[in-house]
Amino acid sequence: MSSNSKLAFTVALCIAIPLFGCKRKSDVPQPDVAVAAAVAPSKPANAESANNPPNPKTGFDLNSVPVSTIPLPPFPYLDWPQGLADGDRFSDKSAFDRAYVVAGNELHAVEGRIENRRFRDADAQLTQLASQRNYEAAIKALGGVKVNTVLPGDPAFVKANGGDLGDLIVNKLHLKDYVDAYDAYLIRTPEKNIWIAVTTSSTSTQISTIEEQAMKQQVAFVTADAMQSELNTKGHIALYINFDTDKALIKQDGMAAVDEIGKLLNKDPALKLSVEGHTDNSGDAQHNKALSQQRADVVVATLVTKGIDKARLSAKGMGADNPIADNGNEEGRAKNRRVELVKQ
């Protein structure tokens, strides 16, 4: 086979692309896969066990995926199929956002750098199966392990995540078409986790890549004096306290804001506060409500450990019910993910 008929992949993601019309598939032979030159040809010693997905009965355990030391090309790791014209390539990207993948039999939230790519299989001279198999081979050569044990359309999975298949496909998995095949992979390296979802429909392929990483803090914490001024003027103030993704665990850089709340309460012994957690509208509403309550609770509990009387504090989880910005873009969603202090 000539070099022009081979594919070279380098790893990527795909969200905001219009639906395509039907187009006759090419009858030409399907090309083989050629992994990018930056990838070492050998596989790790535990490659066979790495290809076994987690047990669906126990949910998804990230630690069940072996760490890979295979050298990786630059983000987004996989290239477009060779010969695909620029006008047939559709993509969008974000430096930091939240996306969801199917891991085990669960919907798993991931935050980090994202790129989404999509193309019509016929434009790449691929059948649906050839596209799926080519990406599967390329991702596994990079140390990727398939992690989903159910498909997005599985009735039990849909029921567990809101019961609306259309909402699950479009708003949570950010796919622009219903899927015939969905394969989610995790490349777990010593430095970071990389998630890749390969989705194929009857006419097109979508590659979703998320390089998991913490948000770079762009909003400075508010001092105790500034909090007091805002509470005296407006009766409430929005704070941005960093938590672990999808957890009620305050990150180390989020503790500075909590320390300032403690200083505020110590400075004004008569002050009582309601600590209210808020989220954006991504994901399941019931889950977001519970998560916001847990985060408000942990802020209160942390303040109590610092000597603040529990009777001066209350915690409420508001979920996504009270947005202060547009949830249609990441800037707005970031503003909505907040903790508010309300003067009592």
Side-chain angles (χ1 to χ4, degrees):
M1 182 176 294
S2 68
S3 60
N4 290 333
S5 64
K6 293 188 176 181
L7 288 177
F9 289 105
T10 317
V11 181
L13 232 169
C14 155
I15 293 178
I17 302 161
L19 294 174
F20 299 102
C22 295
K23 191 172 182 179
R24 185 181 300 275
K25 294 187 176 107
S26 173
D27 293 327
V28 299
Q30 303 307 320
D32 298 326
V33 65
V35 179
V39 179
S42 60
K43 292 187 177 182
N46 56 4
E48 290 302 320
S49 61
N51 290 328
N52 295 322
N55 187 338
K57 293 182 180 179
T58 58
F60 177 70
D61 178 12
L62 187 145
N63 293 322
S64 68
V65 177
V67 174
S68 172
T69 57
I70 294 176
L72 297 177
F75 183 89
Y77 311 109
L78 298 177
D79 205 351
W80 301 93
Q82 284 188 357
L84 189 66
D86 288 346
D88 295 327
R89 302 177 179 187
F90 303 89
S91 68
D92 70 277
K93 60 189 72 175
S94 174
F96 183 85
D97 204 345
R98 178 186 297 164
Y100 290 81
V101 295
V102 182
N105 60 358
E106 303 169 345
L107 190 64
H108 185 70
V110 185
E111 292 183 354
R113 184 181 182 185
I114 298 173
E115 183 166 337
N116 305 315
R117 293 184 175 184
R118 188 174 179 180
F119 59 88
R120 286 181 292 206
D121 296 334
D123 291 335
Q125 297 187 344
L126 290 167
T127 65
Q128 176 186 350
L129 182 61
S131 181
Q132 182 186 16
R133 291 288 185 261
N134 268 290
Y135 276 102
E136 175 186 22
I139 294 167
K140 286 184 176 180
L142 295 174
V145 177
K146 183 178 176 181
V147 295
N148 65 300
T149 58
V150 298
L151 297 176
D154 179 89
F157 180 76
V158 175
K159 182 178 180 181
N161 292 284
D164 186 332
L165 178 60
D167 175 67
L168 180 64
I169 293 292
V170 176
N171 297 323
K172 294 174 182 172
L173 294 174
H174 293 288
L175 306 177
K176 292 299 177 181
D177 200 356
Y178 288 92
V179 301
D180 293 329
Y182 175 94
D183 298 307
Y185 299 89
L186 171 60
I187 303 174
R188 188 168 171 236
T189 76
E191 296 80 25
K192 57 194 170 186
N193 297 322
I194 299 157
W195 304 80
I196 306 168
V198 179
T199 309
T200 55
S201 69
S202 59
T203 59
S204 62
T205 295
Q206 177 168 320
I207 309 298
S208 302
T209 302
I210 314 163
E211 182 180 272
E212 191 172 325
Q213 60 186 25
M215 180 185 71
K216 293 181 180 179
Q217 184 65 25
Q218 295 175 301
V219 180
F221 69 87
V222 181
T223 65
D225 289 342
M227 290 180 195
Q228 187 172 50
S229 176
E230 192 85 355
L231 288 170
N232 289 340
T233 303
K234 299 180 179 179
H236 64 91
I237 183 172
L239 303 177
Y240 294 90
I241 301 173
N242 277 348
F243 293 86
D244 280 354
T245 302
D246 209 34
K247 295 180 181 178
L249 181 64
I250 302 173
K251 287 181 175 291
Q252 188 61 41
D253 60 0
M255 289 302 299
V258 180
D259 289 340
E260 292 299 310
I261 301 173
K263 292 177 184 178
L264 167 68
L265 289 162
N266 283 324
K267 183 178 179 180
D268 185 356
L271 179 63
K272 294 183 178 181
L273 294 174
S274 173
V275 180
E276 301 180 356
H278 298 262
T279 70
D280 62 29
N281 68 348
S282 301
D284 180 70
Q286 185 175 0
H287 172 76
N288 285 341
K289 190 95 168 181
L291 179 63
S292 66
Q293 180 67 55
Q294 293 163 7
R295 288 180 169 179
D297 286 338
V298 79
V299 171
V300 168
T302 303
L303 290 169
V304 171
T305 65
K306 295 179 179 294
I308 304 300
D309 185 353
K310 175 67 170 65
R312 300 173 61 193
L313 302 167
S314 62
K316 293 181 182 179
M318 313 299 288
D321 293 343
N322 297 302
I324 59 174
D326 183 7
N327 274 309
N329 57 69
E330 175 52 27
E331 181 180 358
R333 290 192 291 273
K335 289 180 179 178
N336 291 331
R337 298 192 293 268
R338 68 197 189 278
V339 171
E340 286 204 4
L341 305 182
V342 181
K343 189 175 182 179
Q344 300 298 290

